Amino acid sequence: MNLDLDRPTLALDAGQVVSLDDAAGRRISARLGSVWITYEGIVKDVILAPGESLVLARDGRTVVQALEPAFVTLQ
């Protein structure tokens, strides 16, 4: 088994939430399932479908919530 700590993958159940602090420049990728993302200072929320990603533009609190069972990669 290979564990890549530079690109951790999280398994999220539907409704499960992950919070990130000061993660500017990090890429959040939805590998499986859809996720909702909101972060401080940005009025428009984002929904990522499988295969889509978002690079966080600023620091602050970022909240990622799985809309269905999902695998999310952070890099």
Side-chain angles (χ1 to χ4, degrees), residues 20-65:
L20 306 169
D21 288 320
D22 299 329
R26 291 270 189 177
R27 178 182 302 274
I28 300 172
S29 301
R31 298 295 182 199
L32 176 71
S34 298
V35 295
W36 167 75
I37 300 171
T38 187
Y39 57 110
E40 262 184 89
I42 302 296
V43 177
K44 188 175 179 181
D45 294 344
V46 176
I47 294 178
L48 297 181
E52 295 181 332
S53 64
L54 171 72
V55 176
L56 299 176
R58 58 177 14 157
D59 282 330
R61 168 78 36 107
T62 301
V63 177
V64 179
Q65 181 176 20

